[in-house]
Every structure is written in structure tokens, then in C-alpha cells.
Amino acid sequence: QLNAVIFDLDGVITDTAEYHFIAWKQLAEQLGITFDRAFNEQLKGVSRMESLERILALGGQTDRYTMAEKEALAHQKNEHYKQLIARMTPDDLLPGMLDLLRELKRQNIKIGLASASKNAFTVIERLGIREYFDTIVDAAKVQNSKPHPEIFLTAAEQLRVDPSTCIGVEDAQAGVAAIKAANMFAIGVGDKEALKEADYIVETTADLTYDAIVRAFYR
Ligand code: B16
Ligand code: MG
């Protein structure tokens, strides 16, 4: 029986990856590190500090900064990112997502958010969809990042549902792995090859209709 659907935020509900890209790119350039869109793909679903570490490694600067300096660099990126997301509106919802949230509500299926972003709440507010969520679990509330299942398990616990009755929706490979480790039904949005661990894969959110996901879950 399907009781809940738990969504990732970035890349599933909205495309904040572009804003993360702009903010990280500016910081990387300041440090003399060349940073392109292809590399940005590797930062999807990855925490802020881990993203910084990967960028420093890309530039061969892993040991150049103290922990305090790294915190300051991550803070600087986040201030820039916050300026960018402050301009988001409901128009930034990905295709089909509002319809899906509405239909889930109508069918009395619980809705959760499991995002690695500490800015998740702000983004949800900017998108005007706060009212749809029965729980929002973000990186600030968990110890372990994806692919660890903790964030999805915490969401299920707060929704008071058994993980096996949940669908998790993710665009990142680490996210799909986290959903599977939580013993939930995993839906991947994006590349078939990259997300092959998922139980069901759609190319874009436009294909993420209520009927399609329910059919996949009960198949
Ligand atoms: P913040 P998700 C993730 O969100 C993003 O995909 C990832 O690129 C970002 O670095 C991470 O959140 C942390 O974000 O710096 O705002 O805490 O895909 O799990 O919703
Ligand atoms: Mg994501």
C-alpha cells in the first residue's frame, strides 16, 4: 500500500542546480580554479562542504586552506546562493510538479521532503508550495548525507509510515542509493544509465504523473 511520497528538492521539484553552479563557479574562479557545467554534475546531491572539497581537489588545492578558511569560503558561496534563490518564484517549479503535489494531496497520500540543502525551507517558501508538505527534513536535521538512508528514514518516521509503503523521488545517483538503502521504492528523474539502480525511471518531471508513479509502485 502506498502511504507517502518523499521528494528530493534540487533537480526534482525545481532546478536550483543552475544557481549552485553560478555561485560555485564564481568562488572557484576567485581561487583560480576552472569550473565547467560537466563538473557541476558531480556536485548534485552532494553537501556544501563536500562540494567545496571536490572543487579544491579539482584545482589541486586540497591542502591549501585551514578548516576555518574552508568554512569562510563555503559561507561566501552560500551568501551568493541565497541572493540568487531570493529571486525564485512559483514559475521555477519543474513541469508537472504542482499537478503531482495537488493530486497526491487529493488522494490523501502523505508528502515529505528529503533535501541535502540547508536552504530547502527557503526554496519551498519561494516556490509557494509549503502547504503541501507534511514534513521537511533537510541537511541540518541529519548526521549522515546521501547515499546514507538517514534523511529518507527520518522523513518516513515523521510521517509515521513504514518505509516499504513509501516512494522516494531523486535525480542524483547518491539519492537513489539512499532511497534503496531505506527500503523504499525508488523513482529516478533523469539519465537511465546514471540512475539504473532505481525501480522506475522517467526522463523528465513532466512524465512524473500520479497515474504513472502509482502504476509503477503496484506493478
Ligand atoms: P546547501 P538536494 C543538494 O540538494 C544539491 O543538489 C547540492 O548541489 C547542494 O550542494 C546541497 O543540496 C547542499 O545545499 O549548500 O544549500 O546546503 O538535491 O538534496 O535537494
Ligand atoms: Mg537532487
Side-chain angles (χ1 to χ4, degrees):
Q1 191 201 342
L2 178 62
N3 286 327
V5 180
I6 301 169
F7 294 94
D8 171 47
L9 176 63
D10 295 342
V12 171
I13 290 176
T14 187
D15 192 13
T16 37
E18 184 63 23
Y19 301 125
H20 283 296
F21 174 63
I22 294 168
W24 280 128
K25 189 176 159 63
Q26 192 182 84
L27 184 86
E29 274 169 7
Q30 177 190 317
L31 303 177
I33 300 170
T34 322
F35 185 95
D36 63 11
R37 239 167 243 281
F39 184 77
N40 191 55
E41 286 300 307
Q42 297 178 36
L43 304 182
K44 287 188 176 172
V46 174
S47 75
R48 196 181 307 162
M49 260 319 199
E50 178 60 23
S51 298
L52 175 63
E53 292 291 354
R54 290 190 190 187
I55 291 165
L56 292 176
L58 173 74
Q61 300 185 6
T62 302
D63 301 317
R64 184 172 298 187
Y65 304 97
T66 63
M67 202 51 216
E69 287 167 338
K70 285 178 186 172
E71 298 280 0
L73 291 172
H75 178 78
Q76 185 194 324
K77 178 267 175 177
N78 193 50
E79 289 303 307
H80 185 188
Y81 178 71
K82 285 199 295 195
Q83 277 177 19
L84 297 171
I85 58 174
R87 279 177 270 174
M88 289 180 83
T89 72
D91 285 342
D92 291 300
L93 276 161
L94 283 170
M97 292 312 285
L98 190 58
D99 287 337
L100 177 59
L101 292 172
R102 280 196 185 124
E103 191 58 18
L104 289 170
K105 265 267 133 12
R106 216 171 67 83
Q107 304 283 348
N108 277 320
I109 291 176
K110 290 185 176 156
I111 303 175
L113 190 80
S115 172
S117 173
K118 291 181 177 161
N119 296 294
F121 196 83
T122 310
V123 173
I124 290 296
E125 293 262 274
R126 295 296 312 156
L127 293 171
I129 52 173
R130 172 72 190 96
E131 63 187 299
Y132 290 97
F133 289 88
D134 300 298
T135 188
I136 293 180
V137 184
D138 67 21
K141 301 193 188 80
V142 294
Q143 301 288 317
N144 304 290
S145 30
K146 301 168 188 175
H148 194 285
E150 185 184 3
I151 196 162
F152 284 97
L153 291 174
T154 305
E157 213 174 278
Q158 293 190 351
L159 294 172
R160 300 182 192 288
V161 293
D162 190 88
S164 65
T165 67
C166 298
I167 290 177
V169 189
E170 263 285 353
D171 68 314
Q173 196 273 328
V176 168
I179 296 169
K180 291 310 295 171
N183 191 31
M184 294 180 184
F185 187 85
I187 297 185
V189 182
D191 187 65
K192 274 208 160 54
E193 191 46 40
L195 303 173
K196 58 173 181 277
E197 267 184 85
D199 299 298
Y200 180 68
I201 302 171
V202 292
E203 245 171 75
T204 72
T205 58
D207 301 323
L208 216 51
T209 61
Y210 176 79
D211 287 346
I213 70 173
V214 167
R215 223 180 300 129
F217 181 83
Y218 287 108
R219 193 166 47 205

